[in-house]
């Protein structure tokens, strides 16, 4: 279940996380002041209802090959908001032809429907270089920021904090970013700096 969120997330940016069942707990308190009829009072509790310590979750295909993996130092599920928080988050997803994607952050938050995820603190997404037969080489790409916000249903990923992006030998820095997976457009905002590597010498 935890790996389901990671599967949804990796559909976009090149990023993504885990899934959990939402468990809801209610505390009912009966009060009877004076001659009034007893009332049912729902007491709100924002405490986690369960924890995961030093955990790892994997999902496999029909042949037993690992498709996705999630590791965390500590996981908490909050029944009042139905969000899951993971400290020391690390995730990997493996695709066809040797494609692989790595993501990590000090902290992550994911909602119950896996439609929204936040990576916080030294967030990084790495897509290694890949050469597939009959296709142009796919450049290595790295996204770094203190905050990445991903919406899986709309394919939007954004950050209001400075971002550092490496694409091949080129590097880009900006005050913020907005990425649309549908249109494949990455918009860098604020102060933008680009460092383009010199092309390799012709043979």
């Amino acid at each position: 279940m935890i790996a389901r969120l990671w599967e949804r997330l990796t559909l976009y940016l090149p990023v993504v996380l885990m899934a959990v069942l939402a468990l809801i707990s209610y505390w009912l308190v009966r009060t009877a002041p004076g001659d009034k009829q007893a009332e049912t009072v729902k007491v709100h509790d924002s405490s986690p209802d369960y924890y995961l310590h030093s955990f790892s979750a994997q999902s496999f295909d029909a042949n037993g090959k690992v498709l996705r993996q999630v590791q965390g130092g500590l996981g908490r599920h909050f029944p009042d908001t139905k969000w899951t928080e993971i400290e020391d988050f690390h995730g990997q997803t493996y695709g066809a032809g040797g494609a692989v994607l790595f993501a990590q952050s000090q902290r992550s938050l994911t909602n119950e429907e896996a439609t929204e995820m936040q990576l916080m603190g030294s967030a990084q997404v790495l897509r290694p270089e890949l050469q597939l037969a009959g296709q142009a080489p796919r450049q290595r790409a790295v996204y770094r920021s203190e905050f990445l916000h991903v919406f899986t249903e709309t394919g939007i990923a954004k950050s209001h904090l400075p971002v550092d992006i490496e694409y091949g030998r080129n590097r880009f820095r900006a005050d913020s970013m907005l990425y649309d997976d549908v249109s494949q457009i990455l918009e860098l905002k604020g102060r933008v700096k680009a460092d383009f590597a010199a092309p390799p010498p012709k043979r």
Side-chain angles (χ1 to χ4, degrees):
M1 284 184 257
I2 291 176
R4 182 175 63 84
L5 292 182
W6 173 243
E7 178 180 5
R8 295 278 307 273
L9 178 63
T10 53
L11 294 176
Y12 303 100
L13 181 58
V15 185
V16 208
L17 204 174
M18 64 179 276
V20 293
L21 292 176
L23 303 177
I24 302 175
S25 300
Y26 292 99
W27 286 262
L28 300 179
V29 178
R30 297 281 183 177
T31 59
D35 295 330
K36 288 186 177 180
Q37 185 178 0
E39 297 177 67
T40 300
V41 178
K42 189 194 310 186
V43 178
H44 230 23
D45 191 340
S46 59
S47 303
D49 56 354
Y50 65 81
Y51 295 85
L52 300 169
H53 295 274
S54 299
F55 66 92
S56 177
Q58 294 178 322
S59 63
F60 304 85
D61 65 13
N63 297 318
K65 182 181 178 181
V66 177
L67 294 177
R68 286 161 295 276
Q69 182 168 312
V70 175
Q71 302 95 27
L74 176 64
R76 306 180 188 89
H77 178 261
F78 297 89
D80 58 337
T81 61
K82 301 181 182 179
W83 281 70
T84 300
E85 178 184 39
I86 301 175
E87 293 183 9
D88 192 20
F89 164 74
H90 293 264
Q92 303 93 44
T93 182
Y94 305 92
V100 61
L101 181 73
F102 301 95
Q104 65 182 54
S105 63
Q106 295 176 359
R107 223 172 120 238
S108 70
L109 278 173
T110 310
N111 68 353
E112 182 182 20
E113 294 79 19
T115 58
E116 183 178 352
M117 181 180 183
Q118 301 175 35
L119 298 177
M120 295 164 285
S122 301
Q124 175 178 291
V125 176
L126 167 64
R127 188 192 68 187
E129 182 180 1
L130 180 65
Q131 175 68 65
L132 297 175
Q135 299 183 22
R138 192 180 69 177
Q139 297 291 318
R140 175 181 181 270
V142 184
Y143 300 80
R144 297 187 183 94
S145 180
E146 286 301 306
F147 180 78
L148 290 172
H149 201 170
V150 181
F151 300 86
T152 61
E153 285 190 335
T154 58
I156 297 295
K158 62 182 181 179
S159 179
H160 65 287
L161 297 180
V163 294
D164 192 325
I165 301 171
E166 294 180 28
Y167 186 77
R169 298 169 59 211
N170 304 314
R171 188 165 183 170
F172 307 88
R173 299 179 186 87
D175 289 337
S176 62
M177 79 163 197
L178 176 64
Y179 177 79
D180 188 331
D181 189 69
V182 177
S183 63
Q184 296 287 302
I185 293 177
L186 174 65
E187 182 180 356
L188 301 177
K189 301 180 179 181
R191 294 170 297 178
V192 178
K193 181 180 179 181
D195 296 322
F196 295 97
K202 294 182 180 180
R203 296 181 178 179

